[in-house]
Amino acid sequence: MGPPLRLSTSRALHLPAPRSQASSSSSSSWAKVLSTTQSALRGGADASRRESRWVASSPLRTFGRRRDFAGIARSVATTTTISRSDIITADPKNNVTDNIFQKLGVNLHHRKDHPLGIIKGAIFQYFEESAPGKFKLFEDLYPVVTTKQNFDELLIPADHISRSDNDTYYVNSETVLRCHTSAHQAELLREKHDNFLVIGDVYRRDTIDATHYPVFHQMEGVKIFDPSEWEAAGMSEVEFVERDLKQTLEGLAKRLFGDVECRWVDAYFPFTDPSIELEIFFNGEWLEVLGCGVMQQKILDENYGEGKKAWAFGLGIERLAMILFDIPDIRLFWSGDERFLKQFKAGDLRTKFKSFSKFPPCNKDVSFWISDDFTENNLCETIRGIAGDIVEEVKLIDEFTNPKKGKTSHCYRIVYRSMERSLTDEEINSVQDDVRR
Ligand code: PHE
């Protein structure tokens, strides 16, 4: 894919940021909201790629079954400025790269004819039709958040894997690039929003393959219920909320995918209880499409007020778009190539992407002794830093431990392939030389 345009200074996001506002569904739904949460930098903090990031028992992120998914820079119409020095700092905890910094403020989800914008539009329209004027859409919340927003307020345990700097991009020890849109739940509850959707770019360190990219987009939804509602239905509160959640999300799945079969599986998220995941039967297989659950009571009580009940869900937009539109590689979302972009039209969910051509891959292997602090995420970040989006996949193909020396070597295969053109031998060899170094 063509490299996204860089976030130039003139395009930088400006601090300080205004308070959050929503584009209320009753007003113009697609009006761009000039808002952010309070800026973390001023001191004020996700199919589905979740591959069990939230599953406490599974520290292994790399080869998990559940992983989803999932530029043309445009001006950022907010008054927020993010300058490189705000994000890439000398702080010992800082692990944000230039590649990642360049993605801030691109906001692919604002493009109406882009697959991500189309999915956003369809989801919002679904909620708008089922409850006119009720759901507020927040689509410009500031992606730089505090660890409090991203983790603590969601009751994510102190030792949870997602907090590690191998998984999350830290600006400094208290500030991160949000790793899920759930980071905004608590503050929106404190602002007394009771039905809302949040869409935004989220950032996670990860390995490289066709469904993973360190930046992707999520949509979060929250709905609050009053005791009068479950009392009128003669149901227990959890039963009532869970029924509404399931009906709502099955309806959404059918809106997007047609009359698909749906099933629910148990899940674990620290911020919901019970937690469940929705799977749909599509093109002959069961696919996980989102995670959700009944909001932990403590989150609701402490931020909104007592006596209520709520559900929350979160879904990966790239994952949905890849399934729906048959998009084979997550890098395509960032492509500026007209042959990709021209295939999609606002409001049209029936497009099936036609590869303009499958360019040949080029495999190159690298082997090296690993040190104690070696991680695959770090390796992949380094490779992406050098090769950019011409890397399609990095996979471990051999591992060897020398018992005498107690040292382990890894051999990785790097698959290079551009989505847009044939790569030349010289180009790949020169990139590969840099990678070897
Ligand atoms: N934040 C979760 C994730 O990124 C998804 C989720 C949102 C689950 C809300 C439950 C409720 O994986």
Side-chain angles (χ1 to χ4, degrees), residues 46 50 53-54 179-182 185 204 218 220-221 269 271-272 291-293 312-315:
D46 110 312
R50 288 158 317 114
R53 182 184 175 89
W54 302 114
C179 71
H180 53 173
T181 44
S182 303
Q185 271 187 24
R204 294 185 191 176
Q218 282 190 328
E220 188 91 2
F269 301 103
F271 29 92
T272 47
C292 61
F313 73 83
L315 52 82

Side-chain angles (χ1 to χ4, degrees), residues 91-109:
D91 192 283
K93 189 86 176 162
N94 191 280
N95 60 355
V96 184
T97 62
D98 267 305
N99 259 336
I100 294 299
F101 172 68
Q102 286 154 25
K103 299 292 195 279
L104 287 164
V106 175
N107 292 329
L108 291 176
H109 58 287

Side-chain angles (χ1 to χ4, degrees), residues 1 67 69 206-214 322 327-332 355 357-364 380 383-384 386-395 413-421 423 428 431-432 435:
M1 91 187 187
R67 318 198 325 167
F69 3 169
D206 214 329
T207 49
I208 299 180
D209 67 31
T211 60
H212 286 81
Y213 201 74
M322 289 176 85
I327 297 173
D329 192 299
I330 194 166
R331 292 172 294 165
L332 282 163
S355 286
S357 153
K358 189 94 174 152
F359 297 99
C362 173
N363 297 338
K364 297 271 174 185
C380 288
I383 296 174
R384 257 210 240 268
I386 296 164
D389 286 341
I390 63 168
V391 199
E392 179 168 291
E393 194 175 0
V394 176
K395 50 189 173 192
R413 172 150 304 158
I414 306 177
V415 182
Y416 295 97
R417 186 204 316 252
S418 164
M419 297 273 99
E420 289 145 5
R421 61 198 170 85
L423 299 170
I428 295 176
V431 167
Q432 182 69 8
V435 169

Side-chain angles (χ1 to χ4, degrees), residues 147-166:
T147 48
K148 196 165 163 229
Q149 290 173 290
N150 201 68
F151 303 118
D152 305 342
E153 291 180 335
L154 291 159
L155 314 178
I156 294 171
D159 59 353
H160 195 276
I161 174 120
S162 65
R163 291 187 185 246
S164 86
D165 54 12
N166 189 46

